[in-house]
């Protein structure tokens, strides 16, 4: 209890904002290359054996990687209940599309090789493509809409009213951010295949991944320019009292200026977009040169920089409201209680190192390339 009293409520809010970013970034770094490989599958692998090689680079790890997605959703539910309520209800159809696509992955892995039929296997290969490309695109589209503000409001009883539509989410800026997300994860998937395969599959992955890296850089820069000159930012216009209760309507906020004003207040956050661009550039050069381990690390650096750019640019906003800026959710007014955040932090401190250690051990055990010879020998246990 002494420790509970020592940790300030507002500090806990910031810590959980950071941890949410860590969880979502962890999902992008791990399950991101799974999604990227799925999106690349029809293009880097043209024969049945080539596709089995590509699938077996992610088959043993994709389920563990997806745990980061579950942890991120759980953290939103427990640490940021209003964020969970607004996003999962307002983006319901988009979330449904993501989940439907993700469901195709285990089904595709399970049934693809059950029949020795070219048509059967091709159908499941395209299902796995959808399971990789669609979530990668929609995650970016969702982020693009968050940056623009989401059309929701609260009444005096804090009941949520969402007044947007599914097709309203498919606006030009959001689609551009969706392309950033998709190309970024395709680059990451290519970097993974570059590390885990050899021969024709590896060569095709390098070629497509290099192109994806260039698209990532171009669209990321274009999105930044658009954000600076075409998207209205948000700012808090009232004083936030320390330890204030989690009620968004107790503050005043306005849609004014642009998001990049944050860089004049906190110049150090410019390191995030710089890392994003440098990481993608080095990944491009690594793919062109045929480097393996370093290329995957550079790809991860690009993902960290790009995701951090969005979070740091918006801080302290986590879900602005385009309908009623006062209702916007921020780090200071959308969290769970002090005690809830503290108990969750204790659990995270205990279990996160265990998860990380186990994940590192799994990747160490599975280190090495997937080859046709290996698949032929172990045909009963591969996809």
């Amino acid at each position: 209890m002494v420790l509970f009293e020592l940790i300030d409520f507002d500090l806990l809010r910031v810590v959980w904002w950071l941890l949410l970013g860590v969880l979502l970034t962890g999902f992008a770094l791990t399950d991101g290359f799974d999604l990227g490989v799925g999106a690349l599958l029809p293009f880097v692998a043209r024969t049945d054996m080539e596709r089995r090689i590509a699938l077996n680079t992610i088959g043993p790890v994709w389920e563990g990687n997806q745990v980061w997605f579950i942890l991120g959703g759980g953290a939103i539910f427990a640490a940021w209940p209003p964020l969970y309520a607004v996003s999962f209800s307002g983006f319901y159809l988009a979330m449904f599309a993501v989940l439907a696509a993700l469901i195709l992955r285990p089904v595709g892995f399970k049934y693809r090789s059950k029949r020795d039929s070219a048509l059967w296997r091709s159908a499941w290969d395209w299902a796995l493509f959808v399971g990789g490309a669609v979530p990668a695109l929609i995650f970016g589209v969702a982020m693009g809409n968050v940056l623009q503000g989401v059309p929701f409001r609260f009444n005096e009883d804090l009941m949520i009213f969402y007044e947007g539509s599914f097709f309203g989410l498919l606006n030009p800026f959001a689609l551009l951010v969706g392309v950033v997300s998709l190309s970024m994860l395709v680059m990451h998937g290519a970097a993974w295949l570059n590390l885990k395969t050899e021969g024709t599959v590896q060569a095709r992955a390098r070629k497509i991944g290099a192109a994806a890296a260039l698209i990532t850089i171009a669209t990321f820069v274009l999105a930044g320019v658009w954000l600076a000159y075409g998207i209205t930012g948000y700012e808090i216009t009232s004083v936030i009292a320390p330890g204030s209760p989690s009620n968004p309507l107790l503050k005043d906020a306005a849609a004014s200026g642009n998001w990049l004003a944050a860089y004049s207040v906190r110049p150090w956050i410019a390191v995030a977009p710089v890392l994003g661009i440098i990481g993608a550039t080095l990944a491009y050069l690594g793919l062109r040169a045929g480097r393996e381990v370093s290329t995957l690390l550079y790809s991860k650096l690009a993902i960290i920089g790009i995701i951090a750019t969005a979070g740091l640019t918006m801080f302290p906003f986590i879900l602005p409201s385009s309908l009623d800026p006062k209702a916007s959710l921020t780090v200071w007014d959308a969290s769970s209680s002090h005690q809830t955040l503290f108990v969750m932090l204790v659990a995270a401190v205990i279990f996160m190192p265990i998860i990380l250690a186990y994940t590192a051990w799994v990747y160490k055990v599975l280190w090495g390339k997937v080859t046709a010879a290996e698949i032929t020998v172990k045909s009963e246990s591969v996809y």
Side-chain angles (χ1 to χ4, degrees):
M1 292 303 296
V2 175
L3 184 59
F4 169 71
E5 294 173 355
L6 288 176
I7 301 181
D8 181 71
F9 189 16
D10 288 336
L11 176 60
L12 275 175
R13 285 166 161 163
V14 174
V15 167
W16 270 103
W17 173 78
L18 290 171
L19 283 175
L20 178 59
V22 168
L23 292 173
L24 296 180
T25 303
F27 168 66
L29 294 178
T30 55
D31 203 40
F33 64 70
D34 298 335
L35 298 177
V37 170
L40 284 167
L41 185 61
F43 310 106
V44 299
R46 297 173 186 171
T47 67
D48 182 64
M49 179 56 71
E50 289 175 352
R51 293 184 177 183
R52 293 180 72 185
I53 290 172
L55 290 175
N56 277 277
T57 66
I58 60 174
V61 297
W62 74 269
E63 289 179 287
N65 293 340
Q66 195 162 267
V67 168
W68 291 96
F69 182 56
I70 298 169
L71 288 173
I76 294 174
F77 172 78
W80 310 98
L83 174 62
Y84 181 90
V86 175
S87 59
F88 279 69
S89 58
F91 296 165
Y92 179 79
L93 290 178
M95 293 289 185
F96 183 84
V98 167
L99 292 176
L102 291 177
I103 287 171
L104 289 175
R105 289 204 297 173
V107 179
F109 281 125
K110 180 72 174 179
Y111 288 103
R112 182 194 182 276
S113 295
K114 292 297 184 183
R115 293 180 59 188
D116 189 13
S117 163
L119 181 61
W120 172 270
R121 293 187 176 187
S122 177
W124 285 115
D125 289 338
W126 282 104
L128 290 166
F129 164 78
V130 171
V134 169
L137 178 67
I138 291 180
F139 289 142
V141 169
M143 190 68 246
N145 280 280
V146 169
L147 286 165
Q148 295 175 91
V150 178
F152 71 94
R153 61 183 176 85
F154 293 102
N155 67 8
E156 62 276 6
D157 297 319
L158 292 182
M159 290 182 60
I160 300 167
F161 295 87
Y162 179 82
E163 300 186 12
S165 66
F166 173 75
F167 292 103
L169 300 175
L170 304 178
N171 56 77
F173 178 75
L175 290 172
L176 174 63
V177 180
V179 173
V180 176
S181 174
L182 177 59
S183 60
M184 176 182 75
L185 296 186
V186 167
M187 172 189 70
H188 198 41
W192 176 254
L193 288 175
N194 177 51
L195 175 68
K196 295 290 289 182
T197 65
E198 56 188 17
T200 305
V201 174
Q202 184 188 56
R204 291 183 187 135
R206 287 173 178 172
K207 183 177 180 180
I208 298 174
L214 292 178
I215 294 172
T216 300
I217 296 167
T219 52
F220 181 54
V221 171
L222 179 58
V225 173
W226 195 335
L227 193 66
Y229 297 102
I231 304 296
T232 302
Y234 291 79
E235 61 178 343
I236 297 174
T237 57
S238 61
V239 176
I240 302 295
S244 57
S246 293
N247 183 342
L249 300 183
L250 294 180
K251 70 171 182 311
D252 289 320
S256 60
N258 65 69
W259 283 118
L260 298 195
Y263 290 83
S264 62
V265 178
R266 304 186 301 275
W268 61 270
I269 67 175
V271 68
V274 170
L275 286 179
I277 294 172
I278 290 176
T281 302
L282 292 175
Y284 165 77
L285 295 174
L287 287 165
R288 289 294 302 271
R291 291 188 289 271
E292 297 180 356
V293 175
S294 62
T295 298
L296 184 64
L297 295 177
Y298 294 143
S299 178
K300 291 178 181 294
L301 180 65
I303 291 173
I304 292 171
I306 290 171
I307 294 177
T309 296
L312 292 172
T313 299
M314 291 178 57
F315 183 86
F317 289 88
I318 53 178
L319 190 65
S321 169
S322 59
L323 200 61
D324 178 15
K326 182 178 181 179
S328 298
L329 304 180
T330 74
V331 172
W332 314 123
D333 57 27
S335 72
S336 292
S337 68
H338 190 179
Q339 184 173 9
T340 299
L341 296 182
F342 176 77
V343 171
M344 289 175 61
L345 181 61
V346 172
V349 168
I350 294 172
F351 291 106
M352 282 293 290
I354 297 174
I355 294 172
L356 291 171
Y358 176 74
T359 301
W361 176 76
V362 168
Y363 280 96
K364 181 180 178 181
V365 170
L366 297 173
W367 187 260
K369 291 185 179 292
V370 177
T371 64
E374 179 185 13
I375 290 176
T376 301
V377 171
K378 301 178 180 179
S379 59
E380 76 284 353
S381 62
V382 295
Y383 302 100

